[in-house]
Amino acid sequence: MRKVAIDAADIRILRALQLHGQLSKTKLSEIVNLSPTPCWIRFTRLKEAGLIRGYHADIAIDKIANSTTVVVTVSLEGHRKSNFTRFEDYIARVDEIVECMATGGGMDYVLKVVAPSLSAFQNVMDRLLSEELGIARYMTYIGTREIKSTQLNLSSLMANPDD
């Protein structure tokens, strides 16, 4: 995939959006220390390049509802493109599966599942297994306490001299 060239000012804009969400033209320019028009031109270019996928609120779910978080590792029986596509298409439609990452190594996927209870999580797994998605094996890990959940600090990623 072709990378989009960005500079330090672009990183400041993206970081401000990560930390504060959608901002007015004036507020964004104040935070990143650029005048409004050049700042907005850069913002528009970043958005048009597809670097800004949306704006999200970080909701404190524990303050409004009980939930159970479970990490699930999944290994598929087959490793053809059609096996992966069938599994990924199904996963995309399950609301309780809030994250899915394809991995190399011993397992094919790592899922993060958030459900109202352990029995509701089990219902998600029962549906997953009944769909005949070619799951060879899976392991579950019950989350007991969230220690860290943040956005990547772009500055630390962009400073990697090995690229």
Side-chain angles (χ1 to χ4, degrees), residues 6-130:
I6 60 175
D7 61 17
D10 294 331
I11 291 171
R12 289 195 315 270
I13 291 169
L14 293 171
R15 186 68 179 152
L17 295 171
Q18 278 184 314
L19 294 173
H20 306 288
Q22 195 166 8
L23 297 165
S24 70
K25 180 178 180 177
T26 305
K27 187 68 175 169
L28 180 60
S29 67
E30 287 173 11
I31 291 171
V32 301
N33 199 28
L34 286 174
S35 58
T37 300
C39 181
W40 205 250
I41 289 169
R42 284 174 173 271
F43 165 78
T44 302
R45 181 179 53 81
L46 295 168
K47 193 169 184 176
E48 288 174 354
L51 298 180
I52 302 164
R53 292 189 292 210
Y55 303 94
H56 311 279
D58 185 8
I59 309 291
I61 298 297
D62 61 323
K63 294 188 184 285
I64 56 175
N66 291 327
S67 67
T68 299
T69 301
V70 183
V71 174
V72 181
T73 58
V74 176
S75 180
L76 299 181
E77 293 169 348
H79 291 97
R80 289 192 155 84
K81 182 169 177 22
S82 60
N83 302 116
F84 295 120
T85 300
R86 184 175 66 237
F87 181 81
E88 292 170 17
D89 287 348
Y90 181 80
I91 293 301
R93 296 189 309 267
V94 180
D95 288 339
E96 295 89 346
I97 300 173
V98 297
E99 294 180 21
C100 177
M101 179 181 292
T103 59
M107 292 290 168
D108 296 314
Y109 295 95
V110 177
L111 312 175
K112 181 178 178 183
V113 183
V114 179
S117 64
L118 199 50
S119 62
F121 161 75
Q122 189 58 54
N123 290 337
V124 171
M125 290 307 299
D126 290 347
R127 290 191 324 261
L128 190 70
L129 294 170
S130 70

